Amino acid sequence: MTNEGVHADEHPVPGTRRPGGRTARTRAAVRDAVLSGLSDHGYPGLTIEYVAEHSGVHKTTLYRRWGGLEGLVADALDLAGEDTWTPPDTGSLEGDLRALAHEVVDAFADESKAAAPTAFIAASFQSQRAADALRAFYSERFSRCEAVIARAVERGEADRDTDAAALVRAVSAPLMLRLFVTREPIDAALADQSAAVVLAATRAGAFSSR
Amino acid sequence: MTNEGVHADEHPVPGTRRPGGRTARTRAAVRDAVLSGLSDHGYPGLTIEYVAEHSGVHKTTLYRRWGGLEGLVADALDLAGEDTWTPPDTGSLEGDLRALAHEVVDAFADESKAAAPTAFIAASFQSQRAADALRAFYSERFSRCEAVIARAVERGEADRDTDAAALVRAVSAPLMLRLFVTREPIDAALADQSAAVVLAATRAGAFSSR
C-alpha cells in the first residue's frame, strides 16, 4: 500500500487528471498548496495565508468554499484518495504482500515524500475532520488492496472466507507502528518479515473469519 | 502490552513509589500535572502555567529543572517507564499473546485512560524530544514483553532463534495502526485475531531470525 496520492508532486499540472475546468484546477492548486504547507510546516504551522499565497486563490474564496483549515486539509485528503493507484499484481500472494510492504518502506524512507502523509496523520490528532478524512482515505486505500486477496483466493492461495480487510492492514501494521508510534526505523528486511508473517498466518487460516 | 504507566492516576500519592524525599515528590507532582494537562488539552494546549498551577511547583523551578515544555513531556514519559508493569504469564504463548492484545484494547477503549498516552503520541509529531522519549518508552516496554517469548521458548512453543522484538510488536501493531493511523475502531475480537495471527506465524517459524 502506498500513500502516493498524498504527494504534492504527483500531478505536476493541476487539473490534468480531472479536466473539469476552472473549478477542478482551483481545487488541485489549493490541494497542492495544502500539501506543500503540511510538508514544510506541519499542521500546527499551516495557515490560510500560506495556502492563499501558494495557490493563488484569494483568502475569502478559501474561507467561503472550504470553511477554514480543517476543511482544506480534509479536502486535500479526499482529493488524494481519488488517484489511480492499484495494488501490485506479481502473480502470487507472497509476491504481492512483499511488494505492498516494500511500497510502505519506500514511501516513508524518503523524508521529503513522507512529510505530507505524516503531517496528515499528525493533523488527525488535532482535528476531528482530518481524522474522519484520514479514516476514509485509508479505508478506501485498503479496500483497493483487497484485490490482492481476491486473486489469491482464485489461485487457491487463501481460504474463501479470509478476512481480507484485516489481512491487508496486517502487512502495513508493523511498519506503521514503528513509523508513527514507537518511532523506530524501518527497512526492507522488516518489510519482508511482515509479508512472511502475514503469509504464514494466511496459510494457517488465522485470517479466516468465523 | 499496556500503557498503564502513563496514566495520571496510577500513583495517587506522589512519591509513594520512589520514596526519595522532596525531589522525587516534586518530580511525581510535576509528572501528574503534565499528564492531566496532556489529557485535558493535548500537547498543543499544554502550557508551563498549567503545569505550575497543577503541580504547585513554581514556573522558574520548572524552567530551571526541565528547560521547558519539551523537557517536561520527555521526563513524564521517562517516569512513566519506571513503573512495575510486567507482561501476562498465563502458562501458554497463546494465552499470553491474547492477554497482551486485550491489554491494548482495554487501555484505549476508555477515552479518559487513553487521553494521556494518545497525547504523548501526538506530541511526538511536534517535538523531537518527545519522539525520542516515546521511542525509549516503547523500546523498554516491549523488551519487558519479551519475557513472554523467553518462556515460550523454554516450553518449546517457539524456536530458540525467534525474533522476540518483532513478535511482541506484531501483537500490538494491528491495534495501534487502527487507533493512531487509520482511525478505525478496535475491539476484543480484533485482539483475538491479532494474537491468533502472531501465534500461527510463530508456529510456522515466520519470526525466526535468519
Side-chain angles (χ1 to χ4, degrees):
Chain A
M1 206 210 63
T2 179
N3 290 274
E4 65 174 29
V6 296
H7 303 308
D9 56 357
E10 275 302 292
H11 308 295
V13 185
T16 48
R17 222 183 73 255
R18 296 205 134 199
R22 195 154 168 250
T23 301
R25 279 199 304 275
T26 298
R27 190 179 174 209
V30 168
R31 183 267 320 266
D32 289 350
V34 170
L35 291 179
S36 76
L38 286 175
S39 299
D40 292 348
H41 304 294
Y43 184 68
L46 187 68
T47 61
I48 293 279
E49 286 71 21
Y50 180 99
V51 177
E53 189 182 324
H54 286 75
S55 66
V57 176
H58 201 275
K59 268 173 63 173
T60 52
T61 308
L62 295 176
Y63 278 115
R64 193 179 65 243
R65 287 190 44 197
W66 283 273
L69 278 176
E70 283 197 298
L72 283 165
V73 169
D75 190 53
L77 258 171
D78 287 347
L79 198 52
E82 294 176 13
D83 71 350
T84 56
W85 180 84
T86 52
D89 184 5
T90 65
S92 75
L93 179 59
E94 181 171 7
D96 287 357
L97 296 181
R98 193 173 296 182
L100 278 173
H102 280 266
E103 281 197 28
V104 176
V105 173
D106 294 344
F108 290 100
D110 180 340
E111 250 182 61
S112 69
K113 280 164 72 182
T118 303
F120 278 121
I121 296 168
S124 72
F125 284 90
Q126 290 167 256
S127 155
Q128 188 57 51
R129 281 187 70 184
D132 292 342
L134 197 68
R135 182 187 306 109
F137 173 82
Y138 276 115
S139 169
E140 197 276 332
R141 186 76 19 161
F142 279 119
S143 69
R144 290 191 213 179
C145 293
E146 293 181 24
V148 161
I149 318 308
R151 291 193 295 259
V153 169
E154 289 312 307
R155 286 188 299 256
E157 294 177 298
D159 293 340
R160 211 154 270 286
D161 69 346
T162 297
D163 181 348
L167 196 161
V168 295
R169 282 162 178 78
V171 178
S172 302
L175 304 165
M176 294 207 166
L177 173 79
R178 286 166 175 84
L179 285 167
F180 303 117
V181 182
T182 67
R183 301 277 162 183
E184 296 167 304
I186 64 171
D187 59 18
L190 193 66
D192 287 339
Q193 184 187 54
S194 181
V197 163
V198 171
L199 183 70
T202 304
R203 286 175 176 164
F207 284 107
S208 287
S209 40
R210 279 133 301 188
Chain B
M1 208 210 60
T2 179
N3 291 277
E4 67 174 25
V6 296
H7 304 308
D9 56 357
E10 276 302 292
H11 308 294
V13 185
T16 47
R17 223 183 73 255
R18 297 205 133 199
R22 197 156 166 248
T23 302
R25 279 198 304 277
T26 299
R27 190 179 173 209
V30 168
R31 183 267 320 265
D32 289 350
V34 170
L35 291 180
S36 75
L38 286 176
S39 299
D40 292 349
H41 304 293
Y43 184 69
L46 187 68
T47 61
I48 293 278
E49 286 71 21
Y50 180 100
V51 178
E53 189 182 324
H54 287 76
S55 66
V57 176
H58 201 274
K59 267 173 63 172
T60 53
T61 307
L62 294 176
Y63 278 115
R64 193 178 67 244
R65 287 189 46 197
W66 282 274
L69 279 177
E70 283 197 297
L72 283 163
V73 168
D75 191 53
L77 257 170
D78 287 348
L79 198 51
E82 293 176 14
D83 71 351
T84 56
W85 180 84
T86 51
D89 184 6
T90 65
S92 75
L93 179 59
E94 181 170 7
D96 287 357
L97 296 181
R98 193 173 295 183
L100 278 172
H102 280 267
E103 283 198 27
V104 175
V105 173
D106 294 344
F108 290 99
D110 180 339
E111 251 183 59
S112 69
K113 280 164 72 183
T118 302
F120 277 122
I121 297 168
S124 72
F125 283 90
Q126 291 167 254
S127 155
Q128 187 57 51
R129 281 187 71 183
D132 293 341
L134 197 68
R135 182 187 305 110
F137 173 82
Y138 276 114
S139 169
E140 197 276 331
R141 188 75 22 160
F142 278 119
S143 68
R144 289 191 214 179
C145 293
E146 293 181 23
V148 161
I149 318 307
R151 291 194 295 260
V153 169
E154 290 311 308
R155 286 188 299 255
E157 294 177 297
D159 293 340
R160 210 153 272 285
D161 69 347
T162 297
D163 182 348
L167 196 160
V168 295
R169 282 163 177 77
V171 179
S172 301
L175 304 165
M176 295 206 165
L177 172 79
R178 286 166 175 84
L179 284 167
F180 303 117
V181 182
T182 66
R183 302 275 163 184
E184 296 168 302
I186 63 172
D187 58 19
L190 193 66
D192 286 339
Q193 183 187 54
S194 182
V197 164
V198 171
L199 183 70
T202 303
R203 286 175 175 164
F207 285 108
S208 287
S209 39
R210 277 133 299 189

